[in-house]
Amino acid sequence: MPEKVLTINKLSKSFGALPVLKEISLEVEKGEVVGIIGPSGSGKSTLLRCATMLETMDSGTLTYGDLTVCLEGCYADKPVLRAARNRFGLVFQNFNLFPHYSVLKNITDAPLCVQKRDRDEVMQLAHSLLAKMGLSGRENAYPCQLSGGQQQRVSIVRALMMKPEILFFDEPTSALDPELTGEILKVIRQLAEEDMTMVIVTHEINFAHDVADRIIFMADGLIVEEGLAHDLVNAPSNDRTRAFLSNIMK
Amino acid sequence: MDYQIMLTELLKGLLVSVEIFVLTLVFSLPLGLIIALGRMSGNCIIRNIFRVYISIMRGTPLMLQLLVCFFGPYYIFNVHLSSEYRFIAVILAFSLNYAAYFAEIYRGGIESIAVGQYEAARVLGYSQGQTFFKIIMPQVVKRIIPAITNEVITLVKDTSLAFSLSVLEMFTIAKQISSAHTTMIPFVVAGVFYYIFNFVVAFGMGRLEKRLNYYR
C-alpha cells in the first residue's frame, strides 16, 4: 500500500457564522501531485491554510504520516505540532521572502537556526538548489533586487531547504506577469518529475492538467468533483465543474 | 565677565546634558518596546493599563512629571532622599516619558509589518521569539528610524527642562551666569551648543538610516 503523507478527514471551518469548509476529506500519497481548482471563495486557500496550520480547523482530523496534528478538532501538544511543521513546506502567492535577508540567508537561516543542521551540508544544498533553479550568482542579492519570478523561485528553494515531505503551493503564479508564470511552472514541473509530493492551488487549469496526477474541484467549501487530471479537465461529470471550466477556458 | 570661565562652565553643563540624553535613551528605548508589547497584548486588562499609561505620559507636561518624580517620594510616602536623587529623578521622569512616545512609534512600526512575514516564519518553524527578534524587529527598526530621529532631537532640547529641578545642566548654568552678569551671551552660546549637539545627532541618525538602506 502506498504511503500516505497527508490525510485530512472531515475538516470543517467557519469564519464566524460563515462556513468556508464543510467536512472536507483528502488524502495525498507519497510522490503524488494534487491540483486544487475552483472559483474564488470556494475555500481552496483556507484548506491549504488549515493544512499548514496557519488557520485552526473547527473539527475534523489532520494527519501527517504518523503525526496526528488534530484529532476531531483537538490539536496535539506543541512538540507534535513542531514536528509536523517540519514535514511540509508552503510557497505563498506573495512569496513572503524576508526583505532584510540576502537570498542565501533567506534560504539557509531556518535550516541552520531552527533545524540546527550542519552548516556545510546546508550550504552545499543551498548552492545546488540555487543552481538548479537558475539562481547561481544571486546568493548575495536582496529580494527587492530580484524579479517576481526569481523571488518566487527563491521562496521555492527556501521551502525545499527544509527537506519537506510535502510541498504546498498557494496560487504560486497569481502575483506574477504571464511572462514570468512560465518559469515558475517549469520549476514545479521539474519537481513533479523528481517525485516531489505536492498540493497546488492554482488558476492555471492547463498547468494543473499537465502536472497534477489528480485534480480536486472545490466550490462553496465542498469538494464537488475529484478525479484523474485528464478526466476531470476533459470530461467533467459535475455541472458546476463543467460551468467553471468552460468559463475559464473561454 | 571672564569668557574662558563661562565657556568652561557651559561645557561642564553640556556634559551633564549629554549624560541626561544618553541615560534617557539607554532606559527609554528598551522600556518603550516593553510598553509597546503591553499596549498590543491580547489581554484586554494589560492592554488598557498600558493605554492609560501612554495617555497620561503624553497628556501631561514633562516638567510636571519631573516635579512629581522629584517631590513625589517626599509628599506621598514621606521618604527623605539624598541630594543625588535630584539627578535620578530627572532620568526617571525623562525615561518614563520618552518610553511612552517610543512605545507608540514601535507599535506603529510593528503593526506595519505584513502578516505574511509572520506566516512565512511560522511555516519555517521559527519560534515566536526568533520571529520577533530576527524577522520582525530588524524591519521595524528600519521603518521607524525617521520617527525616532524626531523624538531624539526633541530630547536634546528637552534636557533643558532639568532646569526645573535645578540640575546643573547647560541651560541651568546659562541662566545662572546670565543673571549674575546681566548678559545674554551665555544663552547665545548655549543655543549654539544645543544646535551643534543636534546637528551631530541628526548626522548620526542620517548615517544609520543610510546604513539600513541596503534593501527596500
Side-chain angles (χ1 to χ4, degrees):
Chain A
M1 214 176 82
E3 192 186 330
K4 299 236 186 313
V5 181
L6 168 70
T7 311
I8 293 173
N9 195 28
K10 293 193 171 172
L11 186 164
S12 293
K13 166 83 185 169
S14 307
F15 287 124
L18 181 77
V20 278
L21 295 173
K22 303 166 191 162
E23 302 209 333
I24 299 276
S25 295
L26 168 69
E27 285 184 344
V28 182
E29 288 170 6
K30 196 170 165 57
E32 200 180 18
V33 179
V34 177
I36 302 180
I37 59 170
S40 328
S42 59
K44 330 180 277 292
S45 284
T46 309
L47 176 61
L48 220 58
R49 291 174 61 81
C50 283
T52 52
M53 296 147 69
L54 288 176
E55 210 76 71
T56 52
M57 47 207 262
D58 299 336
S59 64
T61 299
L62 170 65
T63 312
Y64 282 97
D66 55 339
L67 290 174
T68 303
V69 172
C70 183
L71 183 65
E72 287 168 9
C74 280
Y75 275 85
D77 294 335
K78 273 190 177 159
V80 177
L81 302 186
R82 207 174 305 134
R85 278 205 182 91
N86 242 325
R87 301 262 174 113
F88 63 78
L90 171 61
V91 175
F92 295 87
Q93 183 177 343
N94 306 317
F95 332 133
N96 289 334
L97 292 173
F98 303 131
H100 58 306
Y101 281 177
S102 68
V103 167
L104 192 65
K105 179 113 171 143
N106 256 290
I107 64 175
T108 56
D109 194 66
L112 292 173
C113 298
V114 175
Q115 293 182 323
K116 315 243 182 254
R117 275 152 55 189
D118 174 66
R119 189 168 186 89
D120 290 342
E121 177 260 327
V122 168
M123 287 300 161
Q124 211 168 2
L125 181 63
H127 288 295
S128 80
L129 282 175
L130 286 176
K132 195 170 123 189
M133 299 282 175
L135 291 163
S136 287
R138 305 316 307 265
E139 287 86 352
N140 296 318
Y142 286 89
C144 63
Q145 299 167 319
L146 303 176
S147 73
Q150 288 173 323
Q151 288 188 48
Q152 190 59 302
R153 276 182 280 157
V154 173
S155 89
I156 294 172
V157 173
R158 182 173 70 174
L160 289 172
M161 285 296 295
M162 306 297 283
K163 298 185 173 171
E165 287 176 13
I166 178 169
L167 198 49
F168 295 95
F169 290 84
D170 188 6
E171 302 189 18
T173 59
S174 293
L176 299 174
D177 297 337
E179 214 182 331
L180 300 174
T181 302
E183 62 182 70
I184 296 305
L185 299 185
K186 210 177 100 195
V187 166
I188 299 174
R189 198 167 283 139
Q190 197 182 340
L191 291 174
E193 278 161 18
E194 292 164 12
D195 288 328
M196 184 75 212
T197 312
M198 294 187 281
V199 175
I200 307 167
V201 169
T202 182
H203 290 302
E204 308 275 340
I205 301 300
N206 290 327
F207 168 69
H209 172 253
D210 286 357
V211 76
D213 301 306
R214 194 148 56 92
I215 293 186
I216 286 168
F217 173 70
M218 284 182 70
D220 299 328
L222 292 166
I223 294 180
V224 173
E225 190 170 351
E226 162 170 23
L228 295 177
H230 184 79
D231 299 348
L232 191 131
V233 173
N234 294 306
S237 58
N238 184 287
D239 286 345
R240 285 218 56 173
T241 320
R242 217 171 291 142
F244 175 75
L245 287 173
S246 72
N247 246 330
I248 56 167
M249 295 292 204
K250 255 185 237 166
Chain B
M1 183 178 61
D2 189 334
Y3 288 102
Q4 183 90 41
I5 294 174
M6 182 194 78
L7 272 181
T8 327
E9 288 303 310
L10 283 176
L11 281 173
K12 268 193 226 159
L14 178 61
L15 217 62
V16 177
S17 299
V18 171
E19 220 175 314
I20 297 171
F21 172 81
V22 171
L23 287 173
T24 300
L25 287 183
V26 164
F27 293 117
S28 63
L29 282 170
L31 185 62
L33 186 57
I34 294 166
I35 295 170
L37 294 177
R39 174 73 179 76
M40 292 186 292
S41 163
N43 181 314
C44 92
I45 297 171
I46 295 177
R47 195 167 61 235
N48 279 313
I49 289 173
F50 284 97
R51 194 205 301 271
V52 169
Y53 174 83
I54 291 169
S55 175
I56 292 173
M57 282 303 172
R58 292 199 305 185
T60 57
L62 177 51
M63 196 188 287
L64 186 136
Q65 293 164 15
L66 279 162
L67 295 174
V68 168
C69 280
F70 183 57
F71 294 113
Y74 175 74
Y75 285 119
I76 304 170
F77 305 109
N78 209 14
V79 184
H80 294 268
L81 288 158
S82 67
S83 57
E84 277 118 65
Y85 179 67
R86 203 174 284 278
F87 187 74
I88 296 171
V90 168
I91 302 301
L92 187 65
F94 271 96
S95 299
L96 292 176
N97 178 278
Y98 270 79
Y101 286 93
F102 287 140
E104 287 296 89
I105 295 175
Y106 284 126
R107 185 168 69 91
I110 291 169
E111 287 179 350
S112 78
I113 303 294
V115 66
Q117 292 289 307
Y118 291 92
E119 293 183 344
R122 204 154 136 203
V123 170
L124 290 169
Y126 286 99
S127 68
Q128 272 189 313
Q130 282 176 319
T131 304
F132 187 73
F133 288 108
K134 296 186 72 155
I135 310 296
I136 305 302
M137 264 327 266
Q139 299 184 55
V140 168
V141 168
K142 175 185 161 74
R143 288 186 194 193
I144 64 175
I145 287 283
I148 293 280
T149 304
N150 250 341
E151 285 307 317
V152 170
I153 284 176
T154 306
L155 174 59
V156 170
K157 296 174 285 179
D158 275 358
T159 55
S160 61
L161 285 171
F163 168 72
S164 57
L165 295 190
S166 311
V167 167
L168 292 176
E169 48 69 60
M170 187 162 58
F171 184 79
T172 313
I173 291 173
K175 179 83 172 58
Q176 284 173 354
I177 302 174
S178 171
S179 309
H181 298 272
T182 52
T183 166
M184 273 270 305
I185 292 172
F187 285 135
V188 175
V189 175
V192 171
F193 282 168
Y194 278 120
Y195 183 79
I196 294 171
F197 190 173
N198 259 331
F199 191 86
V200 172
V201 167
F203 179 79
M205 294 300 278
R207 284 289 292 270
L208 181 60
E209 202 175 326
K210 232 182 212 145
R211 258 190 58 188
L212 292 173
N213 230 352
Y214 63 88
Y215 75 91
R216 245 184 315 121

